[in-house]
Structure formats: C-alpha cells, structure tokens
C-alpha cells in the first residue's frame, strides 16, 4: 500500500462528525475561506487543492451516501468521483447512494468543472477521504472485538475477522468510528488492487435521464415562479436606447417589462464576469411562451454603443479595458487579421537562430490557417432560477463554477456570501460556456427587482447570438528545409480576435534547433470564452495540418516524422520549459499506428489522416478514415489513442472520447459563427449546422494507454487533434488541402470535378 | 378550455390554443421530460407522440392535440422498461442527457413501424435529433439492441 501523508494538512483538514442519530460523516474543511477565494481567483490548480473532498456519510442502518462535489455537464463526474471514494472505502458500489453536493467550497473544494480538471483535482483528496474512513471503521472494529487491526479486513462494506469468523457492517461500526481521531496518515490502495476504479460502472443518473425526470436547470420549478427573458441588442457594438412596452404589456400573462442595468459604471469584473450587454430589456410573465410572444410586441430603439470602458480586476489592481465600438463583419475581420499578420508581433519563444536558418534554407514552406468564431450551443440553453429577498438569495441551475460567480453575486446583491445559496443542477452540456455566470447575475437582479422567484430563460436565438464565443483565429506556419530536406528552422506566428492561440512551449518546440513563436491579437466587442480545449482547439488543427504537409515535403511518413522529432525532443531537447513528455506523446502515436493498421494494404480503400496533440495534461492521437459516400467525403472510421493516466470509468471515458471525436468532425466540417454589421449571421440550428446522425462515423475505436500515472484529464484532450486528422484525411480524399475552417463548403461536390482541377491550379 | 389526454391522464387547460404543446407540457402541466432545444423544429429535443406519431411539440399548437392522445417520455412505459430505455441503460448512451428523451421518443416510433431497422433506416428516422455531446454511435447501437429486445419479448 502507498503511505500517503494527508496533503490536506496545509490548508484544510479532514474532519469526522457523529451524525445525528448515530453514524459517521467524513468531510474536509478549509482553514480559511479567504485563502480559498485567493486560490480560486487564479483559476489554476494549486498543489494545495489536493486537500479537498466531498462528504461520506454512513448511517447506522448501513446506508452509505457519497456527495459528488463537482458540477455534472455530461462528463459523468456524478459517477466517476464517487467511484474514487468508494474504491478506497472498500464499499459495495451497487449499494452506494450518490447525491449532488451543495455549493460549499469550504467543505467540498473548488467545485469547478472545466480544464479537464474534475478527476485530476479530486483524485487524491477523494482517495484520502475514502481511505481515512476505512481506517477508522477498521479501528472501531478492532476496539469492539479487542483484536489487532492487522487481523481485520475490509471489503464490500463489511469488516471481517477471519480467525474468529466475526464480521460487521460499516453501518454498525459507524457511530463508534466517528468518535475516533482522524488518521493523519492514510494507506492508499495499489492501483493493481482497484475493484471499482478502472472497471466500467453505469451512469448513476442514467435511469433518471431515460425516464424524463426533472434534472436540468430548465426543469427547476418553484411555487409562484415567473419566467423572464432578456431582449438583447441585435448586434455586438449596439446598446439599448429606448423602448415602448405598451403593446407587450397588453399581452396575456405578462407581468412586467423594464430596463435593468447589470453592472454599475465602475464595477470591477472578475475573470469570469464577462458579459456582452450591460443594459438589459427584461420581459416577465407567467409562461415561457407568453414571454416569447410578448417580446415580439416590444418597440425598441437600439443605438451604436461606441467605444466603452470595462474595469477588470487583477492582481495588481484594476485594469481599464477599452471595448471598441465598431460593428464587425467576417470579411472585415479576415482583412484585419491579414493586416495584423504582416505587422511585428510579440515574441513568445525563440531557440537558436531562426532568422539565419530561414535565410539559408533551400526550401521554405509557408501556410496560413484560419478558423471562425464558434458558439458553444449547449443543448440546454442558458437559464437560471433565482429568488432574491433582502435577506438572502437562492439560485438554482446549470453552471460550471459556483465559486467564481458567488463573489460577483455578493457584490451585485449586497449580500454576504453565506446568504447566497447556489444549487447546481445537471447541465445540458457546458463546453466551457457555463463558466461565465452573467446569466445568474441577470436572474438574481431580475428577481430582486420584481421581488419574486423567477426563471430566466434564454431562447436558442438569445443563446447563440449572445457571444462568449470561441475566438476567431489564424496562424501562419513556416518551415525551413536544407538541400537534403532536413528541417532546420520552424516558425509559428499566430493571431486572433481577440486573442491568439499559440502555445509556444508545446511540441514541436523542443524538437527543432531554430524555432520562433510569435503572437498578436486584435481587440473586439465580440465577447469570448473558454470553449472545449481553449486555444488548443485551433492551434492543434493548424499545426497538425502543417506537419502533414511538412512530412510530405520531406518525403516522410507523417507518423514517422513526428516520432523522429519526439525522439530528438527526448534525447536532446532544445530550449527550456518544454511542456510535454516526449515519451507519452510518442506512446499514443505508436498505439494509434498499431491499432489503426497504419500503412497496411487492407486499409487502402480509406483516405487516412493522422494527428496528435497534447493539452490539459493528457495526450491524444487519432487516425481518421474517409470514404466517399454519395460522392462526398464521409468519416467512416476513427481510431483514437489516449494517454490520460489511470482511467476511472473506462466505458464512460470511451463515450467521452467518441463525443469529442464527433464534436471535432462536426466543427471541422460545419462550425461557424460569422458576423455582418456586428450581428451574428447564425441564430438557430437551421443556419448553424451541427453534426447529425448520418454524418457520425460508423465506428470510433478508442484505446487507452495502460499506465499507473495519476489521472490527467480527458474532457478536452481528444478534441483538438480531430480537426487536423480530418483535414489531412480530406487531402487524401480530394487532393486538396484545407486551411480555412469550416471545410464543408470548400469540398468539391459530386459532379463538380472541374472545380477540383481549378482549385488545384 | 382545451382537453388533452397525456400519458393516459385527462387534462383540461385554460390556455391560449396557439401555445405550443411543448410549453403547455412544461410550464402549465409540469411535465418537464420533454425538452426545449431550438423551438423551430430543428433539434428534436421536444419530440412527443401524438396518436402514435412522432411530432415536434415546439411547433405543434396545443389545439392540434386537443381531444387526442399525447405520450411523453414520462409515459413511454409504466416502469421505464421500454426496450429502448433498457437498451439506453445497457449501453450507457447518455452524456449530458438533455437530448435523450427526444432521441428515445423518435426511436420509439421507428421501432414500432420497423422491427428490424438498418443503420440507414436509423439515420433517416433520427436525422432530426441533434446530440450536441455526440452520442450518435451509442444511439445507433442502442436502437439495434432495443430491436433485439423487442423481438425477443
Ligand atoms: S425544440 Fe422542438 S425541434 Fe428543437
Ligand atoms: S447527451 Fe448531451 S446533447 Fe445528447
């Protein structure tokens, strides 16, 4: 067994409590809430976060309940996190009751879904909590029976003394265990002994999902609750000027129409307080449909907002940010990006002497890639319930990070945090979108204003046109080859609106002697937010497509080229701060090569593309196999190799990789949110194309590297490399390279072979 | 007054006959298993059965359902053991789960009309149901499995 000194000691500590009516409860407590707030505002994962965990409750009648601390948005943490606790507790998984925990960062830790961190940040503390409880139960049995603890064993919620044949349930020992000191050192199980973890367990909420139980934010109901919707300006860069609500107020079911200011003029925004519009036109009524209908009767004057100012909180005080007022269009955005790409930009990393390498090159390959804004399009649109009174606030709904919005609500409502209760429902998707809690703030202020419980609902159109998009990106890659086709220099210059996507210290940095990475950005009034594997989701596409062309130019197999570079990065790394582990990176490439039968004649009928990427601490590679279906390229098979360390729940993990692959194919082919005169061009699924059943592959074969590395995250890493693999396979299928996402419209249509030849020049 | 029969239960609603069935179900009756995803007949999250046919409740006026029988996900089977529900659990189809009621309701009509659907039949019948999480492969497998369960019973 591994001895683990409880890492909880520094900022938090394990506590046990005797439950009312007997029984044991294990929880963690933070030493200070101030320390926690500091840690949370950094939005990173400090080592101390290892010291957090959820509750375990064991009642005398042997009910074992585990609270899931982290919000569920489809990544299946409701199942995987309690599995970790149950494993160390040696409980019988079939008898565990799982419940969503309340928002309580003191007792339940960061409670943040995002950054592929759920399992990674809770892995150690949840194991320790389970192991501590197990040890206390063993101790209680040893004392009760007067036998040495070493003669006892715990399994399936039962403690057994083999020599005497005695056994007792956890429940019967729980009250006594609760009176014992909590161990400061706990014994964690060896990975090889895992009985629950690493064994597929069914989604604990599966049955509720298939029977239509109220689970999601939009399903939340309360007596006397009204519905509210917000009419936001039709374009980025516009604001509410005046309105006439007379006709809307005449509509049946309508109780109120008013204007509401979200943030005061000098409001200091935290990192996740992003909002697109500040003056809100609110319609309140008795049913969603009546409110939707009344909105059509609003007479509103919108005006250009002009340049405006935001104040962003930061470590060195508040920062003033000018938000430009221009009404942007996709064509002007692309032109602006081309112009910025020519200007000098910020150097992010430089190794060796790239200038000389390019000057001396026998051949220079240069390619530019672009990708549009993307809307998250969570299946459940943004919504939240709020009931705010002068004493307290109750909020309930779908969100990824209650701990980030609570301080904001506290300021906006002028209520101390302990008077604000946030309940986390299951989310109908998240993808990063629900880390931005403006819709909670809006709901809370509306409730306060009307003095009633209210459910704020975004229509699909509201949701899609609100902003908080994946940014618009571009990157230009250059490679210098000598006369023998050796790679002697590499240059990436990336930019975007309003940020670039370059990860300067990732592969192939470290593998090339002369390397330069640069970045630039263009400010915009179009709001952005984290979108499944932020930045990686574009830069992987560009880089992995470029490596494919580079391999072709060097006369090498694309997997072999990557493996050669990785060998160099391992044996003789260039520069410092290389973020990836070259062995693990090579590992997934070898695995995907093997599993896909790369280069094998039996796969000749497929146009194959490969790509790999490292992000969010994990490694993913895909081989995408395209065939022609009705004369159009179709991804029929995908082989995926993943290294995310220990896989908690293999079948659910496989499901997530399948989903990431389909998400990647869909966005590579169709994903686009474009603008005209500041207004989003797409506003619902009739013009924003989402991948559908017939476009999903026949088969996605997912393989995980088997190792005992602590889990390193899975929600995001499989997503970014899909785009590159699709682009590379499309090249094989159509003999045309794809540089600009989405690809769909550029793919030659059946009967249009002329088109192909023309494009090839 | 609009009379509806939903999941074998009679309701009388004093609402605008133009209200879409979706919102009558969700906001007036309180059956929230039927989901809102787009409101414009594009995503399939709101599919219910009207006299055994799959309809998109977001664009079906409640007046059209008057006096007829509506089945929602809550009423698909008495014990949540419809072959599709069994198959969905067996293959652990759901990710976020938000689209799944609509997927199951669409698939239920397919299976009623076609005892042994091919992949192509499934694609055609299910094309109107978006799953943003990308559970399409599992849905396809689950429909095949449900067909097998149904044919065995
Ligand atoms: S909500 Fe009815 S089809 Fe989308
Ligand atoms: S499971 Fe999330 S949308 Fe289908």
């Amino acid at each position: 067994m591994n001895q683990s000194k409880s890492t909880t000691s520094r900022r938090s500590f394990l506590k046990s409590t005797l439950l009312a009516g007997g029984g044991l409860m294990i929880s963690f407590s933070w030493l200070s809430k101030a320390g926690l707030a500091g840690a949370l505002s950094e939005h990173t994962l400090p080592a101390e976060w290892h010291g957090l965990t959820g509750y375990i409750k064991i009642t005398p009648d042997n009910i074992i309940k585990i609270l899931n601390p982290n919000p569920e948005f489809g990544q299946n943490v409701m199942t995987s996190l309690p599995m970790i606790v149950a494993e160390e507790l040696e409980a019988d998984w079939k008898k565990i009751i799982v419940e969503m925990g309340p928002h309580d960062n003191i007792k339940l830790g960061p409670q943040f879904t995002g950054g592929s961190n759920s399992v990674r940040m809770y892995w150690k503390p949840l194991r320790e909590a389970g192991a501590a409880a197990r040890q206390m139960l063993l101790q209680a049995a040893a004392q009760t029976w007067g036998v040495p603890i070493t003669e006892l064993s715990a399994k399936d919620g039962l403690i057994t003394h083999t020599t005497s044949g005695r056994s007792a349930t956890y429940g019967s020992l729980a009250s006594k265990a609760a009176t014992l000191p909590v161990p400061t050192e706990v014994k964690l199980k060896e990975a090889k002994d895992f009985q629950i973890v690493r064994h597929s367990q069914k989604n604990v909420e599966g049955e509720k999902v298939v029977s239509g139980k109220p689970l999601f934010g939009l399903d939340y109901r309360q007596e006397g609750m009204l519905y509210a919707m917000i009419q936001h300006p039709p374009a980025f860069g516009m604001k509410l000027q005046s309105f006439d609500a007379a006709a809307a107020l005449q509509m049946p079911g309508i109780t109120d129409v008013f204007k509401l200011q979200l943030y005061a003029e000098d409001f200091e925004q935290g990192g996740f307080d992003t909002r697109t519009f500040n003056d809100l036109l609110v319609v309140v009524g008795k049913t969603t449909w009546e409110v939707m209908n009344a909105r059509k009767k609003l007479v509103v004057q919108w005006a250009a907002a002009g340049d405006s100012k935001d104040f962003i909180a930061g470590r060195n005080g508040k920062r003033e940010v000018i938000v430009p007022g221009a009404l942007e269009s996709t064509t002007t955005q692309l032109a602006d990006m081309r112009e910025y790409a020519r200007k000098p930009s910020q150097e992010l990393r430089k190794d060796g002497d790239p200038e000389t390498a390019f000057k001396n090159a026998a051949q220079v390959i240069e390619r530019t890639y672009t990708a549009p804004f993307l809307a998250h399009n969570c299946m459940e649109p943004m919504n939240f319930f709020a009931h705010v009174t002068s004493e307290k606030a109750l909020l309930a709904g779908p969100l990824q990070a209650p701990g980030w919005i609570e301080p904001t609500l506290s300021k906006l409502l002028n209520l101390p945090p302990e008077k604000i209760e946030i309940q986390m429902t299951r989310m109908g998707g998240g993808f990063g979108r629900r880390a931005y809690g403006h819709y909670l703030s809006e709901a809370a202020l509306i409730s306060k204003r009307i003095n009633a419980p209210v459910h704020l609902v975004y229509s699909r159109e509201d949701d899609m046109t609100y902003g908080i998009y994946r940014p618009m990106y571009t990157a230009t890659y250059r490679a210098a080859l000598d006369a023998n086709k050796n790679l002697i220099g590499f240059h990436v210059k990336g930019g975007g609106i309003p940020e670039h996507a370059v990860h300067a210290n990732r592969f192939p940095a470290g593998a090339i002697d002369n390397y330069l990475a640069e970045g630039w950005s263009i400010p915009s009034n179009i709001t952005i937010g984290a979108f499944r594997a932020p930045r990686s989701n574009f830069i992987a596409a560009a880089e992995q497509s470029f490596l494919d062309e580079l391999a072709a130019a060097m006369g090498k197999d694309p997997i072999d080229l990557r493996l050669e570079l990785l060998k160099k990065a391992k044996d003789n790394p260039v520069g410092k701060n290389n973020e990836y582990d070259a062995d693990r990176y090579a590992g997934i490439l070898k695995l995907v090569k093997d599993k896909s039968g790369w280069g094998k004649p039996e796969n000749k009928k497929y146009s194959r593309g490969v790509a790999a990427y490292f992000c969010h601490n994990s490694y993913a590679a895909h081989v995408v196999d395209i065939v022609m279906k009705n004369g159009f390229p179709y991804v029929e098979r995908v082989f995926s190799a993943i290294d995310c360390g220990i896989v908690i729940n293999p079948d659910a993990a496989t499901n997530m990789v399948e989903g990431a692959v389909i998400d990647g194919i869909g966005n590579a082919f169709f994903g686009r949110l474009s603008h005209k005169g500041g207004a989003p061009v797409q506003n619902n699924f009739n013009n924003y194309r989402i991948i559908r059943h017939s476009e999903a592959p026949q088969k996605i074969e997912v393989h995980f590297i088997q190792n005992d590395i602590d889990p390193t995250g899975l929600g995001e890493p499989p997503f970014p490399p899909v785009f590159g693999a699709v682009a590379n396979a499309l090249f094989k299928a159509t003999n045309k390279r794809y540089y600009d996402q989405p690809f769909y419209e550029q793919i030659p249509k059946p009967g249009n072979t002329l088109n192909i030849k023309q494009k090839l020049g | 007054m609009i009379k509806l029969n939903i999941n074998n239960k009679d309701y009388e609603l004093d609402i605008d006959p133009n209200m879409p069935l979706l919102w009558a179900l969700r906001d007036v009756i309180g059956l929230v298993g039927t989901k809102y995803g787009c409101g414009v007949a594009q995503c399939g999250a709101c599919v219910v059965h009207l006299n055994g046919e799959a309809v998109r409740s977001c664009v079906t006026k409640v007046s059209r359902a008057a006096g007829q029988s509506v089945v929602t996900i809550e009423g698909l089977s008495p014990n949540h053991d419809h072959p599709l529900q069994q198959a969905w659990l067996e293959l652990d189809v759901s990710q976020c789960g938000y689209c799944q009621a609509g997927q199951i309701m669409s698939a239920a009509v397919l299976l009623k009309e076609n005892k042994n659907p091919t992949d192509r039949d499934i694609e055609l019948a299910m094309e109107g149901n978006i799953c943003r999480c990308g559970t399409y492969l599992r849905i396809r497998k689950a429909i095949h499995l449900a067909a097998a369960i149904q044919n065995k019973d």
Side-chain angles (χ1 to χ4, degrees):
Chain A
M1 288 219 177
N2 298 324
Q3 282 288 332
S4 170
K5 211 185 235 354
S6 176
T7 46
T8 56
S9 52
R10 258 184 298 169
R11 294 174 79 160
S12 58
F13 52 93
L14 266 177
K15 271 202 333 194
S16 83
T17 315
L18 187 62
L19 286 171
L24 167 72
M25 179 161 90
I26 293 272
S27 67
F28 271 87
S29 273
W30 280 79
L31 290 174
S32 86
K33 191 155 187 170
L36 177 69
L40 284 177
S41 69
E42 288 160 28
H43 309 314
T44 52
L45 183 61
E48 288 84 349
W49 279 11
H50 289 302
L52 301 163
T53 188
Y55 290 125
I56 305 165
K57 281 189 201 172
I58 305 176
T59 64
D61 47 351
N62 206 29
I63 291 172
I64 304 180
K65 188 186 278 183
I66 299 176
L67 289 196
N68 165 42
N70 230 31
E72 170 66 82
F73 72 171
Q75 84 280 45
N76 212 6
V77 277
M78 275 291 277
T79 307
S80 55
L81 293 184
M83 280 170 70
I84 298 169
V85 178
E87 178 68 64
E88 291 289 347
L89 183 60
E90 293 287 5
D92 180 354
W93 176 250
K94 289 191 289 300
K95 293 192 187 142
I96 296 279
I97 296 172
V98 174
E99 239 174 53
M100 183 65 213
H103 173 225
D104 186 340
N105 293 140
I106 302 283
K107 286 181 177 147
L108 295 177
Q111 301 194 285
F112 159 55
T113 283
S116 301
N117 266 332
S118 296
V119 164
R120 182 168 168 252
M121 71 188 171
Y122 279 109
W123 169 245
K124 196 136 188 262
L126 294 186
R127 292 182 75 190
E128 285 170 354
R134 180 206 338 130
Q135 219 154 306
M136 290 160 77
L137 290 159
L138 283 165
Q139 191 72 48
Q143 286 184 10
T144 309
W145 298 331
V147 297
I149 194 166
T150 46
E151 290 179 10
L152 298 175
S153 63
K155 195 170 173 4
D156 291 342
L158 209 63
I159 290 177
T160 311
H161 185 238
T162 322
T163 353
S164 66
R166 266 178 299 201
S167 69
T169 64
Y170 282 7
S172 66
L173 294 161
S175 295
K176 183 169 181 70
T179 64
L180 301 175
V182 178
T184 47
E185 281 191 20
V186 290
K187 287 181 188 143
L188 299 180
K189 292 175 75 172
E190 303 276 0
K192 67 171 170 48
D193 298 326
F194 288 158
Q195 302 284 330
I196 299 171
V197 163
R198 275 189 162 162
H199 297 75
S200 294
Q201 312 292 348
K202 296 261 191 285
N203 188 333
V204 295
E205 291 198 308
E207 204 166 330
K208 290 184 190 160
V209 168
V210 302
S211 56
K213 292 277 167 347
L215 276 178
F216 300 92
L218 212 52
D219 303 342
Y220 191 92
R221 293 290 180 274
Q222 206 188 78
E223 200 52 36
M225 179 182 99
L226 295 167
Y227 291 86
M229 298 186 97
I230 295 170
Q231 184 78 29
H232 68 236
F236 296 88
M238 298 199 79
K239 66 172 184 193
L240 176 63
Q241 188 168 45
S242 63
F243 66 96
D244 177 354
L249 280 164
Q250 294 294 311
M251 294 291 285
I254 298 308
T255 58
D256 235 327
V257 179
F258 53 88
K259 177 181 155 176
L260 190 70
Q261 188 185 37
L262 181 60
Y263 298 152
E265 296 293 301
D266 57 349
F267 182 81
E268 228 178 289
Q269 295 178 39
F272 286 78
D273 287 341
T274 312
R275 54 90 181 85
T276 309
F277 305 108
N278 206 53
D279 292 335
L280 312 172
L281 178 51
V282 182
V283 182
V284 185
K286 296 213 175 86
T287 65
T288 317
W289 182 72
E290 286 166 318
V291 175
M292 282 176 167
N293 249 352
R295 284 173 68 178
K296 296 180 196 148
K297 305 283 180 197
L298 288 168
V299 181
V300 195
Q301 267 79 50
W302 309 104
D307 291 359
S308 60
K309 237 183 262 172
D310 275 351
F311 297 101
I312 310 291
R315 241 176 261 170
N316 313 315
K318 69 175 173 186
R319 200 158 45 89
E320 198 180 296
V321 176
I322 302 291
V323 181
L327 302 181
E328 298 179 19
S329 294
T330 302
T331 42
T332 55
Q333 288 159 343
L334 284 166
D336 287 351
M337 292 210 304
R338 279 191 293 271
E339 187 193 322
Y340 268 71
R342 284 192 292 269
K343 295 185 191 176
S345 60
Q346 189 196 354
E347 183 180 299
L348 304 170
R349 169 167 171 155
K350 187 172 167 175
D351 298 316
D353 184 356
E355 289 81 3
T356 308
F358 276 93
K359 211 183 302 150
N360 296 339
Q363 185 188 355
V364 172
I365 306 167
E366 177 178 324
R367 299 288 183 266
T368 295
Y369 302 83
T370 68
F373 289 100
L374 295 176
H376 295 76
N377 291 332
C378 304
M379 210 65 212
E380 176 191 17
M382 298 306 115
N383 72 92
F384 229 83
F385 168 84
H387 190 192
V388 177
T389 65
S390 52
E391 276 92 55
K392 61 181 185 172
L394 167 67
L395 291 103
L399 86 164
Q400 292 178 224
W404 296 353
I405 190 66
E406 193 189 69
T408 308
L409 291 170
S410 172
K411 275 189 272 180
L412 293 177
L413 300 173
N414 201 15
L415 284 172
E418 54 278 14
K419 298 284 183 200
I420 300 173
E421 181 185 345
I422 303 176
Q423 293 177 11
M424 291 163 277
T425 63
R426 190 176 183 89
M427 288 174 261
F431 309 102
R433 178 63 180 83
R434 292 190 225 269
Y436 304 86
H438 63 91
Y439 53 98
L440 280 87
S441 302
E442 292 160 357
L445 288 174
I446 295 169
S447 171
K448 187 175 174 175
R449 159 86 181 239
I450 63 172
N451 197 20
V454 72
H455 203 138
L456 170 67
V457 178
Y458 275 50
S459 69
R460 173 59 58 198
E461 290 84 359
D462 296 338
D463 185 287
M464 202 181 285
T465 58
Y466 182 84
I468 319 224
Y469 300 133
R470 196 285 298 269
M472 186 173 183
Y473 290 123
T474 183
T476 298
Y477 279 85
R478 294 163 69 223
L481 303 182
D482 69 12
N484 298 319
K485 302 215 177 287
N486 295 309
L487 178 61
I488 55 170
F490 195 90
H491 176 203
V492 52
K493 183 172 176 179
I497 304 173
E499 63 162 29
H500 69 75
V502 178
H503 284 283
N505 295 322
R506 289 195 187 154
F507 184 77
I512 299 160
D513 292 329
N514 304 302
Y515 172 92
L516 175 64
E518 300 175 283
W520 51 266
S521 57
I522 305 175
S524 169
N525 54 30
I526 296 166
T527 50
I528 59 142
F531 183 113
R532 196 175 208 168
R535 301 199 289 150
S536 303
N537 59 35
F538 167 68
I539 209 70
E543 167 201 299
Q544 293 293 310
S545 302
F546 186 68
L547 287 183
D548 207 63
E549 269 197 82
L550 182 57
M554 294 166 76
K556 291 190 174 173
D557 172 85
I559 294 183
D560 291 347
L561 170 65
R562 287 170 174 82
L563 290 174
E564 278 171 31
L565 290 169
L566 286 162
K567 185 165 180 352
K568 157 110 178 156
K570 176 174 162 55
D571 297 345
N572 206 357
V574 180
K576 285 195 219 54
N577 306 324
N578 297 327
E579 279 173 11
Y580 57 95
D581 179 321
D583 275 339
R584 291 181 75 185
Y585 208 132
I588 50 157
L589 278 161
K590 287 175 191 157
L591 184 62
V592 87
K593 183 176 177 174
D594 176 39
K595 296 295 181 185
S596 69
W598 184 258
K600 294 267 165 62
E602 63 265 29
N603 294 316
K604 269 238 159 61
K605 75 171 222 192
Y606 294 104
S607 302
R608 320 197 89 183
V610 65
Y613 201 66
F614 158 78
C615 72
H616 296 87
N617 307 292
S618 294
Y619 301 79
H622 306 291
V623 166
V624 159
D625 283 353
I626 284 181
V627 294
M628 298 309 266
K629 181 166 151 183
N630 308 322
F632 199 76
Y634 161 68
V635 178
E636 186 178 277
R637 303 191 309 191
V638 179
F639 297 85
S640 305
I642 315 287
D643 182 351
C644 61
I646 291 170
V647 177
I648 309 299
N649 194 3
D651 185 52
T654 301
N655 195 349
M656 185 140 65
V657 177
E658 290 165 4
V661 166
I662 289 173
D663 194 4
I665 296 169
N667 275 301
F669 273 92
F670 313 120
R672 169 171 51 199
L673 193 293
S674 43
H675 295 92
K676 203 166 177 195
V681 175
Q682 296 77 16
N683 65 356
N684 206 323
F685 298 134
N686 55 327
N687 46 31
Y688 195 114
R689 190 160 168 188
I690 305 273
I691 187 167
R692 289 180 185 266
H693 277 274
S694 69
E695 293 142 355
Q698 288 295 312
K699 173 168 113 168
I700 300 173
E701 215 181 277
V702 181
H703 300 274
F704 291 99
I705 296 262
Q706 299 300 322
N707 59 31
D708 289 348
I709 297 170
D710 285 350
T712 51
L714 185 63
E716 289 158 303
F719 181 59
V722 178
F723 295 77
V726 166
N728 297 337
L730 273 176
F731 167 68
K732 291 281 169 53
T734 64
N735 205 20
K736 172 180 172 340
R737 290 280 176 189
Y738 296 83
Y739 301 104
D740 304 303
Q741 294 172 31
F743 305 142
Y744 179 75
E745 279 152 23
Q746 303 153 50
I747 298 170
K749 305 289 178 296
N752 199 1
T753 42
L754 193 70
N755 190 5
I756 302 185
K757 287 207 190 90
Q758 278 169 347
K759 289 240 165 106
L760 287 173
Chain B
M1 278 293 170
I2 292 190
K3 287 189 180 160
L4 293 173
N5 181 285
I6 302 165
N7 302 331
N8 280 325
K9 211 173 139 191
D10 289 323
Y11 293 85
E12 273 192 32
L13 306 180
D14 183 14
I15 54 170
D16 185 336
N18 290 318
M19 182 182 282
L21 181 57
L22 170 68
W23 299 113
L25 289 169
R26 292 187 55 87
D27 292 358
V28 183
I29 297 170
L31 285 171
V32 296
T34 306
K35 297 295 188 244
Y36 166 71
C38 70
V40 294
Q42 285 290 322
C43 75
C46 66
V47 169
V48 299
H49 299 170
L50 180 61
N51 298 332
E53 294 285 320
V55 297
R56 284 146 200 277
S57 62
C58 69
V59 292
T60 305
K61 287 179 184 173
V62 73
S63 57
R64 210 188 118 200
Q68 302 173 67
S69 119
V70 175
V71 176
T72 69
I73 185 73
E74 290 94 338
L76 180 64
S77 62
N79 303 309
H80 316 317
D81 56 357
H82 186 282
L84 285 162
Q85 288 165 316
Q86 292 179 42
W88 244 249
L89 294 179
E90 178 58 32
L91 296 176
D92 229 349
V93 170
S94 300
Q95 285 189 36
C96 83
Y98 193 80
C99 72
Q100 301 296 350
Q103 305 275 3
I104 291 172
M105 294 309 279
S106 290
V109 173
L110 168 69
L111 275 195
K112 204 171 56 167
E113 292 167 357
N114 184 342
K115 301 285 174 225
N116 286 301
T118 62
D119 278 355
R120 185 68 192 143
D121 296 336
I122 293 172
E123 273 175 22
L124 288 173
M126 303 297 293
E127 200 66 350
N129 285 80
I130 291 175
C131 175
R132 177 67 183 87
C133 298
T135 63
Y136 296 125
L137 270 79
R138 283 177 191 239
I139 290 173
R140 198 181 294 151
K141 275 190 209 137
I143 294 174
H144 286 305
L145 177 59
I149 295 172
Q150 178 177 275
N151 294 342
K152 201 176 62 198
D153 289 349

